[in-house]
Amino acid sequence: MSNRTETDTHPINPESPDVSRRKLLQKTGVGIASLSIGALATNSVSAQPQLKATYKWDKKFAKSKKVDHKKVSFRNRYGIVLSADLYQPKNAGSKLAGLVVGGPFGAVKEQSSGLYAQTMAERGFVTLAFDPSYTGESGGEPRNVASPDINTEDFSAAVDFIGLLPFIDRGRIGVIGICGWGGMALNAVAVDKRVKAVAVSTMYDMTRVKSKGYNDSVTPEQRTQTLEQLSQQRWKDAERGSPTYGPPMNELKGGEAQFLVDYHDYYKTPRGFHPRAVNSNASWTNTTPLSFMNMPILTYIAEISPRPILFIHGEKAHSRYFSETAYAAAANPKELMIIPGARHTDLYDRVDVIPFDKLTTFFRTHLA
């Protein structure tokens, strides 16, 4: 299938608006439970329906007067139509560098990825923040399912789209991945040699955490038990003819580890809540973990070299070890930037914490 691009030109109506860490994670129980077994709870909720694109400014950040914005759509290699926001510096010249932005896992483009994209557009880049397949305003059925293969492809499809724009220099395209989509971004760049530089912020390796639990704490026996449960869930879904869903994401009952409280503070409060985000208002299919269990997406991270990688992570983030081990496995040129005092979700939207100056310098240097 050809990768036909489609653009929407409707006007927008903006409305302004360490060891201790390891012990903490162990207190949450087997990490894999919260990501897979826990999803098999009986009090399931329905997935949010697929929504048509809205042209109302419903983002979790104010619209910048320094950039032009429009909604666009394009197909990935599997024929799924992806919805995205295109940000372009006002009065920009031709043949600019482009950045594709995705993440976090379970978020939508109206949240973190859009904030990163708009901010980088203010700094002179044409940027594209997209909703991954099966989520947000993008297509794909059933709703709210993730795949390390398809979601890696989403990044390359976004590169296809932005590289065909007449005002983009397709030899100067970079990628930014946030949280769980940081791992997808690295996987995409390893195989997609068109991308010249990649930065990941507060990165998660979703295949690692789903298959091995936090800090690789899952035993072979626990992994087998999880796979047994997921396999039985397939029978249930096959019998009913549609997938089942777990309870709504990021609801607290009390006594949770701090990083779970942080997720709630972002996704479930006015700070970051968005009705189309899985993590705010819905849940993943119960069998979503299946494809993550035996597909380690960072296997070929060294093949990104000689293109540069910038890892950004918070000093106090529970997820910090993902960036540290990925950094160790990557080949030069590479850089690991640790933000003092920052936790995982601080890098979602805290503009005084996110190192936008560093990101700007990195991409200006390597997309020159």
Side-chain angles (χ1 to χ4, degrees):
M1 177 177 293
S2 63
N3 191 18
R4 179 172 57 88
T5 63
E6 304 169 355
T7 60
D8 295 316
T9 57
H10 296 68
I12 301 298
N13 180 23
E15 296 181 353
S16 296
D18 337 88
V19 172
S20 59
R21 185 168 73 249
R22 186 180 299 271
K23 289 181 178 178
L24 173 65
L25 293 173
Q26 289 173 344
K27 290 180 181 179
T28 68
V30 178
I32 198 171
S34 66
L35 289 160
S36 54
I37 298 175
L40 305 182
T42 56
N43 56 328
S44 61
V45 297
S46 297
Q48 62 195 38
Q50 182 173 346
L51 302 174
K52 294 182 179 179
T54 177
Y55 294 96
K56 177 182 178 181
W57 186 268
D58 61 349
K59 309 189 190 311
K60 302 308 299 184
F61 49 91
K63 190 178 191 299
S64 173
K65 295 180 180 180
K66 298 178 181 180
V67 305
D68 293 320
H69 161 265
K70 68 176 179 179
K71 300 293 280 286
V72 299
S73 62
F74 50 94
R75 293 184 185 273
N76 69 13
R77 194 164 53 88
Y78 297 107
I80 299 170
V81 177
L82 302 185
S83 178
D85 287 304
L86 181 69
Y87 298 90
Q88 183 178 4
K90 285 185 179 292
N91 304 316
S94 61
K95 300 304 180 184
L96 297 179
L99 296 175
V100 167
V101 189
F105 188 83
V108 288
K109 63 188 181 303
E110 288 74 21
Q111 296 170 315
S112 300
S113 61
L115 172 64
Y116 275 69
Q118 180 177 260
T119 304
M120 295 304 288
E122 290 178 329
R123 292 161 180 253
F125 301 90
V126 176
T127 62
L128 186 73
F130 65 91
D131 281 336
S133 295
Y134 308 106
T135 64
E137 293 179 319
S138 287
E141 294 289 343
R143 302 306 294 165
N144 302 352
V145 63
S147 160
D149 179 23
I150 295 174
N151 297 138
T152 293
E153 158 62 19
D154 290 342
F155 274 99
S156 287
V159 171
D160 293 343
F161 175 83
I162 201 169
L164 292 178
L165 297 175
F167 43 85
I168 287 289
D169 180 349
R170 68 171 63 176
R172 299 165 60 208
I173 296 176
V175 163
I176 299 175
I178 308 163
C179 184
W181 254 243
M184 305 291 186
L186 293 171
N187 193 38
V189 175
V191 73
D192 194 334
K193 303 302 184 182
R194 300 174 300 173
V195 179
K196 303 307 179 185
V198 57
V200 291
S201 180
T202 201
M203 191 271 290
Y204 251 68
D205 177 351
M206 294 304 301
T207 55
R208 181 179 177 184
V209 74
K210 283 186 178 291
S211 62
K212 298 181 179 181
Y214 284 107
N215 293 296
D216 304 335
S217 59
V218 167
T219 66
E221 293 76 18
Q222 290 168 332
R223 175 181 166 85
T224 297
Q225 182 183 18
T226 297
L227 290 172
E228 289 283 359
Q229 293 187 13
L230 290 169
S231 297
Q232 291 303 313
Q233 185 63 46
R234 288 197 67 131
W235 281 127
K236 296 175 184 178
D237 291 355
E239 288 170 349
R240 72 194 296 261
S242 60
T244 55
Y245 296 81
M249 300 289 292
N250 296 307
E251 294 192 344
L252 300 179
K253 297 181 179 179
E256 288 85 0
Q258 182 61 48
F259 77 97
L260 297 176
V261 176
D262 292 343
Y263 282 139
H264 177 275
D265 182 58
Y266 179 75
Y267 286 110
K268 305 293 280 191
T269 71
R271 171 187 168 193
F273 177 88
H274 197 282
R276 290 193 295 275
V278 177
N279 283 348
S280 287
N281 204 36
S283 60
W284 296 102
T285 65
N286 283 343
T287 55
T288 286
L290 274 172
S291 61
F292 289 81
M293 296 295 284
N294 61 352
M295 295 185 185
I297 56 176
L298 298 188
T299 299
Y300 298 102
I301 189 172
E303 294 186 5
I304 293 176
S305 177
R307 296 163 297 158
I309 309 174
L310 172 62
F311 297 88
I312 302 169
H313 227 105
E315 176 191 16
K316 296 183 178 180
H318 70 284
S319 53
R320 176 176 162 183
Y321 73 100
F322 289 121
S323 283
E324 291 173 334
T325 54
Y327 172 80
N332 287 316
K334 59 183 178 179
E335 183 176 356
L336 175 60
M337 182 180 190
I338 300 298
I339 308 300
R343 297 201 291 255
H344 181 84
T345 55
D346 288 338
L347 291 169
Y348 283 8
D349 66 335
R350 305 295 194 197
V351 294
D352 58 333
V353 176
I354 301 168
F356 282 117
D357 287 345
K358 177 65 176 180
L359 284 165
T360 301
T361 300
F362 174 78
F363 283 113
R364 282 180 179 170
T365 298
H366 298 293
L367 299 182

